């Protein structure tokens, strides 16, 4: 008996009753079994009849019976230690119950209990049947010995014992069958659960290729209900419409050879196409061949593989078609893989690159730093780096690239380096071009002011260390404006380029010549011993400049004015030295040009005064400190005042009046003469109208136009606007222009003067005789009057040459029907000479100094 039976008899009885119920051992079944064995009341009586006979033999029977059982080692192991005593007790109880004549429910329960116990301890039915055979044989011998003389009684007893033992053996074997059935059911359920729980689908196909069953996974794959095969066996090609799968199934069914990796595609599903890979195996059931189709859903794996293939193809195309070079390097720098762009950058074929090390393409200057960075990658100190450097092409030329290098590990754990190489040669060239543009003059290619100052600072620092000197030359071309105005700006540019070339070829390699702007150049001479070295260079430069040059068919002789400042004498920084050189250049200009001058302290004072005066002029314009005086123009023959010349005066507030000789040249130089001249023109025209409105005789007002005013703006348009604005009669306005201004750009002057004359404005040539023109050259201009310069009038009574010049001018002017006005007439003798030789008009101290507008009005009223 089991420990469970011993410890829980009530539970065991319930188990036995449950087995009886499951086997179906109810009263009817017991009766049917007894009837089949023909076990009736006579048999019960026969058993009771021999009860006493057998009881006396019970112990001897037990000895023989259990000696037989325990002679088998397998049974001794199953029954365990102390089995004989326990079994004798059980056998004695059974022996008694066998002939007791009570074969109801308790008897049956006991037989089932014994059968369950034996089945649980692992006693095979063969031992069970053998034991019953021994039991019957022993009982037969005992009864034969006791009833040998009573054959009928013997026969009845043996017959009854045989029936009851068969009845008992049937009950015992029923427990075995029940246990096997239950185990089979459990195994079947387990197998079904395993099959249903398989991650693969399973279809069982019969020999006619009809599906018999399938698990839940296959039903899910096919989108079929679980009970799809309960009503009928569906043909395989209908269940799974895949020709390849059916054909391979037929091959396996015929040959028995397994078929693996058979692909079937399930389409039309809500979740998209599914891919199932089948393995086909042949088996047998009930002697007939069957097929097991095991399907694995590889949709995810297949799609992942397809994505991987797409990714690999995309990588391959991207790698090969990338706009940057890509190189995979081994840890030693060997090229393991590269793309076509890298071949294009370096000029090597891919095969040639794969036979080389990356170090072979580096410039020697970059190699040490590159190897240090690679070392950092190998040591894990950095994961990547990026830098710009040069690589050497196949033809030996360097190419600028931007390189990003990253460290990685391959599938075997080997360190590799991925290099992304971008060709930045054009970018570098553009940067260099931009840098050159930022530091060089676009027209000449010379260093500009920024680069020149940087080099000057470096020269100063070097001179400071070596106790040497530096010269700074400021060069301004003489009469460059004449070239621009007469030959055009293209010719002016051509001249600037040639001057730049001449300056550059005249200097040492260590010297710097820069274009300051316009027609101004700066030369930096480092490492000089003294002033004489600078003077030698200046003389050389002037000599090289003053060489003939043909521009637009015209031969010109360029010249320049050079100002020189010396470090450290004149200044210790670039700004001061440039300022001093600029001041010295104006000293050369004052000497007539084509010369050089060293800076002196007096020049500095002059420059300071120049700057102070310029500021004062600006303020004078804003504060309305300018005023006009008018000098009468007198008809020599009649002595009548026919007009006045407007003369500019500057009267600062609470200060003495400034002489025109002190501020007019500065106004011309700074360009302030343009707004000042515009003010003079407008004020004079307003004054002429005011006199007329005051009832005075109409006077002609003469106004001087500066060179900047006449050539630098549309003076005709401005005069037209002022005439309309003031109401001045154009016939009462005379504009005076010096002959030097006219000769700067004769063509432009002719066009402007023609427009003025067309308005009715009178035009006069001022300071005639001081320029280089002739009366014949003036014929092209629409002028009305000539004004003889005061320098000729001053000595005409003492200097025969001046007298002859004045006389010739008057005669020739009259021959051209021009009015002649003499300036600066101060004595009666001068007036008489002019009158005798037919001069038309005069102005000067002999008649009147310049006076305020009120003085002119009083003068006109007295004359009336």
């Amino acid at each position: 008996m089991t420990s469970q039976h011993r410890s829980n008899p009530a539970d065991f009885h319930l188990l036995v009753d449950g087995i009886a119920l499951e086997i179906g051992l109810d009263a009817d079944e017991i009766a049917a079994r007894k009837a089949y064995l023909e076990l009736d009341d006579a048999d019960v009586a026969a058993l009771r009849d021999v009860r006493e006979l057998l009881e006396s033999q019970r112990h001897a029977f037990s000895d023989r019976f259990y000696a037989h059982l325990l002679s088998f080692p397998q049974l001794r192991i199953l029954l365990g230690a102390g089995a004989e005593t326990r079994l004798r007790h059980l056998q004695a109880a059974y022996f008694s119950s066998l002939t007791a004549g009570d074969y109801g429910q308790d008897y049956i329960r006991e037989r089932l209990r014994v059968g369950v116990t034996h089945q649980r301890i692992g006693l095979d039915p063969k031992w069970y049947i053998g034991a019953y055979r021994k039991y019957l044989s022993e009982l037969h011998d005992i009864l034969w010995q006791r009833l040998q003389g009573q054959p009928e009684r013997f026969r009845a007893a043996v017959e009854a014992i045989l029936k009851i033992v068969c009845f008992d053996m049937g009950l015992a074997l029923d427990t075995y069958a029940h246990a096997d059935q239950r185990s089979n059911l459990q195994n079947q359920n387990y197998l079904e659960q395993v099959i249903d729980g398989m991650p693969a689908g399973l279809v069982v196909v019969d020999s006619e290729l009809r599906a018999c069953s399938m698990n839940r996974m296959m039903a899910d794959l096919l989108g079929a209900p679980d009970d799809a095969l309960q009503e009928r066996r569906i043909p395989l090609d209908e269940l799974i419409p895949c020709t390849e799968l059916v054909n391979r199934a037929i091959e396996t069914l015929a040959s028995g050879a397994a078929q693996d990796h058979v692909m079937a595609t399930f389409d039309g599903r809500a979740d998209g196409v599914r891919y199932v890979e089948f393995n086909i195996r042949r088996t047998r059931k009930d002697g007939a061949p069957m097929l097991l189709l095991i399907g694995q859903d590889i949709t995810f794996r297949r799609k992942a593989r397809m994505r991987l293939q797409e990714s690999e193809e995309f990588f391959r195309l991207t790698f090969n078609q990338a706009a940057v070079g890509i190189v995979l390097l081994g840890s030693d720098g060997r090229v393991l893989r590269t793309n076509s762009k890298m071949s294009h950058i370096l000029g090597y074929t891919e095969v040639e690159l794969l036979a080389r090390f990356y170090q072979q393409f580096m410039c020697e200057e970059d190699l040490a730093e590159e190897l240090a960075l690679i070392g950092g990658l190998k040591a894990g100190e950095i994961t990547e780096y990026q830098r710009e450097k040069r690589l050497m092409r196949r033809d030996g030329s360097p190419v600028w690239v931007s390189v990003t290098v990253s460290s990685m590990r391959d599938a075997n754990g080997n360190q590799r380096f991925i290099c992304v190489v971008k060709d930045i040669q054009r970018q570098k060239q553009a940067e260099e071009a931009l840098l050159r543009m930022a530091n060089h003059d676009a027209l000449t290619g010379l260093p500009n002011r920024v680069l020149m100052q940087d080099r000057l600072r470096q020269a100063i620092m070097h001179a400071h260390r070596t106790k040497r000197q530096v010269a700074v030359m400021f060069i301004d071309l003489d009469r460059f404006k004449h070239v621009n105005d007469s030959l055009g700006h293209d010719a002016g540019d051509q001249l600037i380029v040639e001057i730049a070339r001449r300056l550059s070829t005249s200097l040492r390699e260590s010297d710097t010549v820069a274009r300051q702007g316009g027609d101004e150049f700066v030369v930096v001479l480092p490492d000089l011993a003294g002033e004489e070295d600078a003077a030698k260079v200046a003389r050389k430069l002037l000599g090289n400049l003053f060489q003939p040059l043909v521009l637009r068919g015209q031969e010109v002789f360029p010249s320049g004015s050079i100002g020189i400042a010396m470090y450290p004498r004149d200044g210790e920084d670039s700004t001061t030295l440039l300022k001093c050189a600029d001041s010295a250049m104006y000293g050369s200009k004052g000497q007539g040009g084509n010369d050089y001058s060293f800076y002196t302290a007096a020049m500095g004072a002059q420059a300071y005064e120049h700057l102070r005066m310029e500021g004062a002029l600006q303020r004078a314009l804003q504060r309305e400190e300018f005023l006009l005086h008018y000098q009468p123009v007198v008809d020599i023959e009649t002595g009548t005042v026919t007009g006045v010349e407007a003369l500019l005066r500057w009267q600062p507030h609470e200060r003495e009046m400034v002489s025109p000789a002190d501020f007019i040249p500065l106004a011309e130089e700074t360009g302030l003469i343009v707004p000042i001249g515009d003010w003079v023109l407008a004020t004079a025209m307003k004054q002429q109208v005011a006199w007329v409105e005051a009832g005075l005789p109409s006077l002609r007002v003469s106004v001087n136009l500066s060179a900047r005013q006449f050539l630098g703006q549309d003076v005709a348009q401005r005069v037209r606007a002022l005439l309309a604005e003031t109401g001045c009669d154009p016939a009462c306005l005379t504009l005076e222009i010096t002959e030097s201004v006219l000769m700067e750009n004769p063509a432009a002057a002719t066009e402007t003067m023609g427009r003025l004359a067309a308005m009715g404005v009178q035009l006069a040539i001022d300071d005639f005789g001081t320029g280089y023109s002739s009366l014949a050259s003036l014929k092209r201009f629409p002028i009305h009057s000539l004004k003889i310069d005061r320098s000729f009038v001053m000595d005409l009574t003492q200097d025969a040459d001046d007298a002859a010049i004045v006389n010739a001018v008057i005669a020739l002017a009259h021959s051209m029907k021009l009015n002649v006005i003499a300036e600066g007439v101060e004595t009666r003798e001068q007036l008489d000479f002019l009158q005798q030789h037919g001069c038309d008009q005069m102005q000067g101290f002999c008649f009147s100094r310049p006076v305020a507008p009120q003085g002119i009005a009083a003068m006109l009223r007295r004359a009336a």
Side-chain angles (χ1 to χ4, degrees):
M1 294 179 64
T2 65
S3 60
Q4 182 182 7
H5 180 223
R6 291 194 299 270
S7 58
N8 298 294
D11 292 341
F12 196 77
H13 288 160
L14 290 175
L15 174 63
V16 171
D17 290 342
I19 292 173
L21 183 61
E22 291 176 5
I23 295 174
L25 292 178
D26 56 8
D28 292 339
E29 175 63 19
I30 295 300
R33 289 191 179 196
K34 287 180 180 180
Y36 186 75
L37 292 172
E38 296 179 333
L39 180 63
D40 53 17
D41 292 341
D43 295 314
V44 173
L47 290 170
R48 289 175 178 170
D49 178 55
V50 296
R51 179 179 178 81
E52 291 183 3
L53 293 176
L54 295 176
E55 280 291 323
S56 61
Q57 295 296 319
R58 182 172 63 179
H59 296 295
F61 174 85
S62 296
D63 291 341
R64 291 190 301 273
F65 178 73
Y66 283 104
H68 171 72
L69 292 182
L70 296 177
S71 65
F72 296 94
Q74 296 94 325
L75 290 179
R76 285 201 305 272
I77 294 172
L78 287 173
L79 297 176
E84 183 176 354
T85 302
R86 178 162 46 85
L87 290 176
R88 286 181 183 277
H89 174 76
L90 292 173
Q91 192 278 333
Y94 175 64
F95 194 88
S96 297
S97 65
L98 185 65
T99 58
D102 185 5
Y103 308 111
Q105 289 296 327
D106 290 341
Y107 182 86
I108 292 170
R109 181 184 293 113
E110 180 61 20
R111 298 278 63 78
L112 292 176
R113 181 192 65 75
V114 172
V116 169
T117 301
H118 289 170
Q119 187 269 333
R120 285 191 172 186
I121 67 173
L123 187 67
D124 287 343
K126 64 182 180 181
W127 303 110
Y128 211 91
I129 294 171
Y132 272 109
R133 196 278 314 164
K134 182 65 175 176
Y135 209 91
L136 287 173
S137 179
E138 288 290 334
L139 287 175
H140 179 274
D141 290 345
I142 293 173
L143 289 174
W144 174 253
Q145 291 174 4
R146 293 297 182 95
L147 300 176
Q148 188 174 11
Q150 305 176 46
E152 289 297 326
R153 187 180 177 190
F154 171 76
R155 186 192 63 79
V158 171
E159 182 74 14
I161 289 174
L162 178 62
K163 292 178 180 179
I164 193 65
V165 168
C166 287
F167 179 74
D168 291 350
M169 190 165 56
L171 291 175
L173 293 177
D174 278 346
T175 62
Y176 278 78
H178 173 268
D180 289 342
Q181 183 180 11
R182 172 170 286 185
S183 176
N184 289 337
L185 288 174
Q186 289 175 347
N187 290 337
Q188 181 179 353
N189 290 336
Y190 175 75
L191 182 60
E192 288 176 353
Q193 291 175 5
V194 169
I195 292 174
D196 274 344
M198 285 172 57
L202 173 65
V203 178
V204 180
V205 179
D206 63 16
S207 59
E208 297 179 359
L209 291 184
R210 293 176 301 174
C212 304
S213 64
M214 60 182 172
N215 66 353
R216 184 175 292 108
M217 175 60 73
M218 183 57 70
D220 289 343
L221 290 175
L222 298 177
D226 293 342
D227 57 355
L229 300 179
Q230 288 185 358
E231 295 183 1
R232 71 183 181 97
R233 294 187 175 187
I234 301 175
L236 179 60
D237 58 356
E238 180 182 335
L239 183 67
I240 306 175
C242 176
T243 304
E244 175 68 13
L245 181 66
V246 173
N247 292 337
R248 301 284 285 275
I250 293 173
E251 291 178 14
T252 302
L253 195 61
S255 65
Q259 300 285 341
D260 292 330
H261 310 302
V262 183
M263 183 66 64
T265 303
F266 298 163
D267 205 350
R269 293 173 54 95
D271 56 355
V273 177
R274 310 288 294 182
Y275 301 95
V276 180
E277 186 178 75
F278 283 93
N279 294 332
I280 307 174
R281 298 290 186 272
R282 191 177 73 174
T283 187
R284 305 186 73 84
K285 181 180 180 184
D286 299 331
M290 301 191 74
L291 296 180
L292 302 179
L293 277 67
I294 304 168
Q296 182 73 36
D297 185 354
I298 62 168
T299 303
F300 177 80
R301 190 172 69 218
R302 181 180 175 86
K303 289 182 177 179
R305 185 168 62 249
M306 293 173 63
R307 285 194 296 269
L308 179 60
Q309 291 173 347
E310 291 175 0
S311 177
E312 289 176 346
E313 180 66 10
F314 177 77
F315 171 77
R316 185 185 66 79
L317 292 174
T318 302
F319 186 85
N320 289 328
Q321 298 178 13
V324 295
I326 305 175
V327 183
L328 176 65
L329 302 177
S331 59
D332 58 355
R334 180 179 294 278
V335 178
L336 303 178
R337 188 174 180 182
T338 184
N339 65 349
S340 57
K341 183 61 178 180
M342 196 65 200
S343 297
H344 176 74
I345 292 174
L346 294 179
Y348 290 92
T349 66
E350 184 175 349
V351 174
E352 289 174 329
L353 288 175
L354 293 175
R356 286 168 169 77
F357 291 85
Y358 189 58
Q359 297 91 315
Q360 294 175 262
F361 308 123
M362 291 189 223
C363 281
E364 186 176 349
E365 297 87 344
D366 300 329
L367 185 58
E369 184 177 356
E370 192 76 16
L371 292 177
L373 290 169
I374 291 290
L377 286 176
K378 288 182 177 181
E381 299 170 357
I382 55 175
T383 58
E384 69 173 25
Y385 68 86
Q386 191 275 333
R387 64 186 298 236
E388 293 181 356
K389 64 178 183 180
R390 291 159 298 173
L391 295 180
M392 301 305 298
R393 291 175 50 83
R394 193 175 191 273
D395 59 8
S397 62
V399 57
W400 275 100
V401 294
S402 173
V403 179
T404 301
V405 183
S406 303
S407 177
M408 61 169 287
R409 296 279 177 179
D410 64 11
N412 298 320
N414 299 317
Q415 190 172 38
R416 298 287 184 259
F417 302 107
I418 285 287
C419 304
V420 178
V421 182
K422 181 181 179 182
D423 185 348
I424 60 171
Q425 183 72 7
R426 290 186 178 180
Q427 176 185 327
K428 279 293 184 181
Q429 290 172 346
E431 289 176 359
E432 291 175 1
L434 288 174
L435 183 61
R436 182 167 184 81
M437 289 175 62
N439 292 307
H440 291 79
D441 174 57
L443 178 61
T444 64
L446 294 178
N448 61 11
R449 182 182 182 88
V450 175
L451 183 56
M452 176 273 297
Q453 287 186 320
D454 180 67
R455 292 186 179 178
L456 177 54
R457 283 191 290 269
Q458 294 180 29
I460 291 173
M461 288 188 292
H462 178 74
H464 178 73
R465 291 193 300 268
T466 59
K467 306 302 181 183
R468 301 280 285 178
Q469 297 186 38
V470 178
V472 178
M473 294 183 174
F474 204 104
I475 305 174
D476 185 86
L477 298 184
D478 299 329
R479 295 177 298 280
F480 175 71
K481 183 172 174 44
H482 298 340
V483 174
N484 264 346
D485 292 340
S486 59
L487 301 179
H489 289 280
D490 288 344
D493 289 347
Q494 185 180 345
L495 175 61
I496 290 296
V497 171
E498 176 59 19
I499 294 300
R501 188 194 66 80
R502 294 182 181 185
L503 291 175
S504 299
T505 56
S506 303
L507 299 172
R508 300 172 300 178
E509 186 176 345
S510 60
D511 299 334
T512 297
V513 56
R515 187 182 180 202
Q516 182 81 348
D519 61 336
E520 298 176 339
F521 297 85
V522 173
V523 172
V524 176
L525 304 175
D527 196 28
L528 297 183
E531 185 177 292
E532 181 55 33
D533 290 343
K536 289 179 181 178
V537 175
R539 288 191 291 268
K540 180 181 179 182
L541 292 178
L542 290 174
N544 289 342
L545 290 181
F546 197 68
Q547 298 297 321
L549 173 67
V550 177
L551 298 174
R552 296 289 179 88
Q554 298 291 325
E555 188 176 52
V556 297
F557 287 81
S559 66
S561 298
I562 302 178
I564 307 173
M566 299 296 296
Y567 168 86
R569 183 190 66 191
D570 301 324
E572 296 185 354
D573 59 85
S574 59
T575 302
T576 303
L577 290 171
L578 286 168
K579 183 177 68 174
C580 292
D582 190 19
S583 298
M585 182 272 295
Y586 281 105
S588 299
K589 283 281 186 186
Q591 297 169 14
N594 196 25
D595 199 359
Y596 68 90
S597 300
F598 283 93
Y599 174 77
T600 64
M603 291 178 181
Q606 182 181 356
Y608 174 79
E609 180 60 24
H610 184 284
L611 186 62
R612 187 196 65 77
M613 183 70 78
E614 181 180 348
L617 277 174
Q618 292 276 13
R619 291 190 296 274
L621 204 60
Q622 298 171 359
R623 298 174 181 177
E624 299 181 351
E625 294 179 350
F626 293 113
L627 52 89
L628 292 183
H629 281 187
Y630 298 90
Q631 186 171 41
V633 177
V634 180
D635 185 286
I636 292 179
E637 191 65 34
T638 64
T640 305
V641 176
T642 59
V644 293
E645 179 182 4
L647 300 172
L648 181 64
R649 298 292 184 264
W650 177 16
Q651 179 61 69
H653 293 305
E654 300 179 357
R655 291 178 57 192
E656 294 182 356
M657 185 174 290
V658 180
S659 168
D662 293 335
F663 73 86
I664 293 294
L666 180 59
E668 287 274 6
E669 179 185 330
T670 60
L672 288 173
I673 195 65
V674 175
I676 293 173
D678 191 68
W679 177 86
V680 170
L681 186 59
T683 302
M685 292 168 71
K686 291 176 184 178
Q687 184 61 61
Q688 195 278 338
V689 173
W691 283 328
V692 172
E693 291 177 349
L696 297 174
S698 181
L699 284 178
R700 179 180 304 279
V701 176
S702 297
V703 179
N704 290 282
L705 294 181
S706 70
R708 287 178 180 264
Q709 196 175 6
F710 184 72
L711 298 174
Q713 64 177 7
D714 191 347
V715 69
Q717 179 61 32
R718 181 57 179 156
V719 168
R720 184 186 301 278
L722 287 174
L723 288 172
E725 180 184 329
T726 62
C728 179
D729 184 357
C732 294
L733 177 64
T734 296
L735 298 179
E736 299 183 7
I737 305 113
T738 63
E739 61 174 323
S740 60
V741 171
L742 296 180
M743 300 313 297
E744 282 191 27
N745 192 341
T750 301
E751 192 272 335
T752 299
M753 294 176 74
R755 292 168 60 193
L756 290 169
M759 299 178 201
V761 175
Q762 297 285 303
L763 299 170
I765 301 299
D766 193 18
D767 298 338
F768 184 76
T770 59
Y772 299 97
S773 65
S774 64
L775 287 174
S777 66
L778 296 178
K779 289 172 62 177
R780 77 184 75 175
F781 303 120
I783 57 178
H784 303 89
S785 302
L786 286 180
K787 298 187 74 173
I788 303 173
D789 187 68
R790 66 178 64 248
S791 61
F792 298 111
V793 176
M794 182 187 310
D795 296 324
L796 64 84
T797 57
Q798 289 87 25
D799 190 324
D801 291 337
D802 287 348
I805 291 173
V806 170
N807 187 37
V809 170
I810 293 171
L812 291 175
H814 284 166
S815 69
M816 297 174 61
K817 296 183 173 50
L818 297 178
N819 183 55
V820 182
I821 305 171
E823 292 184 299
V825 181
E826 298 183 357
T827 65
R828 184 65 192 181
E829 290 81 7
Q830 294 168 350
L831 179 59
D832 290 342
F833 179 93
L834 294 170
Q835 187 176 20
Q836 291 171 10
H837 290 84
C839 184
D840 301 303
Q841 295 174 319
M842 58 80 68
Q843 62 184 89
F845 293 172
C846 179
F847 183 83
S848 174
R849 290 177 176 273
V851 296
Q854 300 87 343
I856 296 297
M859 189 181 301
L860 292 176
R861 288 191 182 96
R862 285 196 300 270

